[in-house]
Amino acid sequence: MVGCSLGGCLALRASAFEPRISRTICFDILPSLFESVLHVAPASLKRLLSSALPRNIGRGIINRLLTRAARQNLTVQWGLRQGMHVMGVATPYDFLRASLQFDTASWSPSIRQDVLLLAGAEDHYVPQGQLAVQIDGLTRTRSLTARLFTAEEQASNHCQLGNIGLALDTMLDWMNRLDASQERLSLALAPQEV
């Protein structure tokens, strides 16, 4: 299972509940959509959003403030439009409330597959600290590998934009190493001929 961007969150959720998935790749990590939204929100709104939204208050004022912020900042405008479209909601407030549901903390301990986490050191959507949060939450994986891409590799952005080839090579190398180790294990466990 490979999940890209928000798909990184969704791939882990699927893995927690679907034992037929044997390997999971988060191409890029996204352990908390709400935290990522706060990461790109205007500084003047972060405190209000982090206190009001989880308590389901402030709908009118938050919609007005975010609409104003979207007129002043194209990144905020795109993020709100895209978020409302993806979540199928009509207002910025409803998008942010929906984003609270996309958090891997509650199901990460249920994941037993091999997991590869990819992250960018300068991701403009996902705070770098979320990589450690995701690693800490995956307590029962069969194996866990994490890779933080850097600016020197030109892969430090979200979903390694700038060097997707390196990200794809990393995924293929990881899968090949797992295949090789499983093959060695199978040979070691096979009945020996005398």
Side-chain angles (χ1 to χ4, degrees):
M1 166 78 66
V2 178
C4 186
S5 193
L6 178 56
C9 174
L10 298 175
L12 286 176
R13 182 164 69 181
S15 298
F17 299 104
E18 180 50 71
R20 292 177 294 176
I21 297 170
S22 62
R23 297 175 183 167
T24 305
I25 299 173
C26 298
F27 175 37
D28 213 304
I29 61 158
L30 195 73
S32 170
L33 181 56
F34 183 67
E35 289 297 320
S36 292
V37 169
L38 284 182
H39 181 65
V40 298
S44 59
L45 294 178
K46 286 182 183 188
R47 192 169 178 194
L48 171 65
L49 296 176
S50 62
S51 65
L53 282 155
R55 296 183 299 154
N56 199 19
I57 59 174
R59 176 181 300 274
I61 186 76
I62 289 172
N63 279 333
R64 284 190 298 279
L65 291 171
L66 287 174
T67 299
R68 184 180 313 144
R71 284 194 298 263
Q72 298 169 354
N73 183 310
L74 290 176
T75 302
V76 172
Q77 182 183 75
W78 176 86
L80 290 174
R81 282 186 183 168
Q82 181 68 9
M84 291 185 314
H85 170 73
V86 168
M87 298 298 170
V89 297
T91 70
Y93 183 88
D94 291 328
F95 159 58
L96 293 173
R97 283 285 303 162
S99 75
L100 290 166
Q101 299 173 42
F102 295 87
D103 191 302
T104 64
S106 62
W107 7 272
S108 286
S110 301
I111 297 168
R112 297 188 180 334
Q113 293 84 346
D114 297 302
V115 176
L116 173 62
L117 305 175
L118 305 180
E122 299 172 352
D123 193 316
H124 51 289
Y125 292 122
V126 181
Q128 187 176 347
Q130 283 199 13
L131 178 59
V133 168
Q134 188 60 79
I135 289 169
D136 290 346
L138 294 167
T139 56
R140 294 183 172 166
T141 59
R142 184 171 38 236
S143 72
L144 176 60
T145 305
R147 173 75 154 81
L148 182 65
F149 294 90
T150 65
E152 291 77 24
E153 298 169 303
Q154 298 179 348
S156 62
N157 294 309
H158 187 63
C159 296
Q160 290 63 67
L161 291 178
N163 197 347
I164 292 174
L166 178 60
L168 294 174
D169 287 344
T170 300
M171 290 182 233
L172 290 172
D173 289 346
W174 177 76
M175 288 186 288
N176 289 334
R177 280 194 313 274
L178 287 176
D179 287 343
S181 68
Q182 286 179 345
E183 186 176 317
R184 283 192 303 274
L185 180 61
S186 294
L187 289 173
L189 296 176
Q192 301 295 319
E193 289 186 26
V194 185

